[in-house]
Amino acid sequence: MHLAYPAVLAALLFCTGLYGVLARRNAILVLMSVELMLNAVNLNLVAFDVWLSRTAAETLHSGQALTLFTIAIAAAEIGIGLAIVLAVYRNRGTSDIDKLRDTAEGHGPEGPDGPDGPDGPDGSGGSGGPDSDNSDDSDGDAPAAEKAEATA
């Protein structure tokens, strides 16, 4: 068999995986696309190993050994990646990458608590103005623990 056949197939697999990484919004589909890219690399490693072992007198099969190493690394990567995606899905309720980027804590220059942090500019915990009303009857000013107790 010619070297061009597996090389073209690996290039197609890699391009499909690259398109999936760049165009997909679901984190699980992105992980599957990364796996396609790794499998394209594995196919190239085995194809070049077979091609070089025909021309060389020694048959070390280093391409196949590297392929086994890559498969082991890919299995660990997909296990950890899937665990992270499931944990994020449980916490946020979505695995859409764009929505996760928009709702990330600390996203933007001001952060989640405003421009001056959780204590405000004067350390009082509110907006800091003399006319600010820090009463607990409004839902926007109540701490998260008090909200949890009120709903329980």
Side-chain angles (χ1 to χ4, degrees), residues 60-141:
L60 185 59
H61 298 296
S62 59
Q64 293 177 9
L66 283 173
T67 298
L68 289 175
F69 181 71
T70 306
I71 290 172
I73 295 298
E77 173 258 334
I78 199 68
I80 292 172
L82 192 58
I84 291 171
V85 167
L86 288 175
V88 167
Y89 181 77
R90 285 182 186 164
N91 287 336
R92 303 278 174 98
T94 184
S95 63
D96 187 3
I97 294 174
D98 290 336
K99 289 181 183 174
L100 293 177
R101 187 180 308 132
D102 292 340
T103 61
E105 293 181 356
H107 184 68
E110 295 183 352
D113 297 318
D116 298 311
D119 292 335
D122 60 351
S124 63
S127 62
D131 297 330
S132 65
D133 184 16
N134 290 334
S135 62
D136 290 334
D137 57 333
S138 67
D139 289 338
D141 294 335

Side-chain angles (χ1 to χ4, degrees), residues 23-54:
R24 298 294 177 199
R25 297 175 192 257
N26 191 341
I28 294 175
L29 292 177
V30 170
L31 287 175
M32 289 174 60
S33 298
V34 169
E35 289 297 318
L36 272 177
M37 293 168 61
L38 288 173
N39 284 332
V41 170
N42 288 339
L43 182 61
N44 269 333
L45 284 172
V46 170
F48 278 101
D49 180 51
V50 169
W51 183 64
L52 289 174
S53 68
R54 286 185 189 170

